[in-house]
Amino acid sequence: LYTAACTPRQLRCCTMQCDDAIWEVIGNKKNMCAFRHTTRQPKHYFCRNEFNLTGLCSRATCPLANSNYGTVVEIEGDIWLMIKTVERAHSPANMWEKLKLSQNFGEALEQITEEMMHWPEAMVNKCKQRLTKIRQMLIRMRRLASRPQARLVATGRKVRKREDARELKAEAAAKVDLAIEKELLARLKQGTYGDIYNFPLANFNKALDMEADESQKLEYVEGEGSEEEEEEEEEEEEEDEEDVDMEDLGFDEPSSKRPRTGPRVEIEYEMEDDREMQAA
């Protein structure tokens, strides 16, 4: 009696899994679905179920309210075709059939066409589109992984403050050590403590090296000055010798002035010997 009063659609729903009844329960906007996500402005309904084909919450794309369903998923870098049929509805653990797709894009499309031969064409095309998007995503992931990337390391606020305080203390201690070292070296040079010193050997040797370098620099500067003075004296002596030689030979230095033009005047000088001879 019960079966005679039901329509063929109601009979199919009663005997097997009833998709319409499931959608009326979870698809009603007043009821709550664990996988539904609603945006405020603009208002859209999305599905977070991993087996959803498009990511939208609708009657045609709901993986829970469809006995026959197919989708493509990515698991650890591999692409799988997931198929759900009503014959396995009694066993939820074995409800989804997994078929690994080839890495070649053309062969993967042929596998989808063969496995979903008698399925609706719209669902087959959506599975192929999802396969294309997943392959593009994997290619971008491999490309980004091959590039060097900066690694961000989180540091706590207390740890950062502690390190800053330690740096300031270390700088202050270093300044104090340098001031003490300079003061001790100054007293060492002045001879404040006499001939007995208990300074560290490394600092003492460093001070001696610094004094030796300063003394070498002073000697080098003095040596350069004495050499220059000797060269100047030698040049002056050579010039004096040349002047004496010119005077001995009877050559006067050429005058830089131009000779005057006019009558020539001869001047005669009388010697004392000539005067005595004339007087005698």
Side-chain angles (χ1 to χ4, degrees), residues 56-228:
L56 299 175
C57 182
S58 63
R59 173 70 178 81
T61 60
C62 182
L64 303 178
N66 289 279
S67 300
N68 296 327
Y69 198 82
T71 184
V72 178
V73 297
E74 181 266 331
I75 302 174
E76 296 181 357
D78 298 328
I79 303 175
W80 296 79
L81 175 63
M82 309 292 292
I83 297 176
K84 173 186 175 183
T85 57
V86 70
E87 289 80 10
R88 292 189 293 273
H90 65 282
S91 178
N94 302 319
M95 188 179 296
W96 293 91
E97 180 184 0
K98 290 177 64 176
L99 297 173
K100 187 175 181 180
L101 298 178
S102 175
Q103 294 183 355
N104 190 351
F105 184 65
E107 294 179 359
L109 293 176
E110 291 179 0
Q111 287 179 355
I112 293 174
T113 304
E114 292 176 359
E115 295 294 336
M116 305 180 70
M117 186 180 297
H118 304 289
W119 289 62
E121 187 176 356
M123 186 168 288
V124 176
N125 291 334
K126 288 180 180 178
C127 288
K128 292 180 179 179
Q129 291 176 1
R130 187 174 176 83
L131 171 66
T132 306
K133 290 293 183 181
I134 291 175
R135 283 181 60 85
Q136 292 175 358
M137 180 192 68
L138 292 175
I139 291 171
R140 287 195 298 269
M141 288 173 60
R142 295 191 188 101
R143 191 178 299 166
L144 290 174
S146 63
R147 296 177 182 175
Q149 297 180 357
R151 183 181 177 185
L152 301 177
V153 180
T155 57
R157 183 170 55 86
K158 293 183 179 180
V159 176
R160 189 164 56 250
K161 282 186 176 181
R162 192 184 306 122
E163 290 179 353
D164 294 341
R166 288 178 179 175
E167 288 180 359
L168 293 174
K169 290 180 181 178
E171 290 180 0
K175 290 179 180 178
V176 171
D177 293 340
L178 291 174
I180 293 173
E181 183 179 357
K182 290 180 180 178
E183 183 65 22
L184 292 175
L185 291 174
R187 294 183 181 183
L188 175 63
K189 292 178 181 179
Q190 295 175 3
T192 306
Y193 302 111
D195 297 333
I196 301 174
Y197 303 102
N198 290 325
F199 298 135
L201 185 60
N203 295 336
F204 184 74
N205 293 332
K206 183 179 179 180
L208 293 178
D209 295 337
M210 291 172 63
E211 290 182 356
D213 294 338
E214 291 178 358
S215 61
Q216 289 179 1
K217 289 180 181 179
L218 292 173
E219 291 178 358
Y220 180 72
V221 172
E222 291 177 357
E224 287 183 351
S226 61
E227 290 178 357
E228 291 177 357

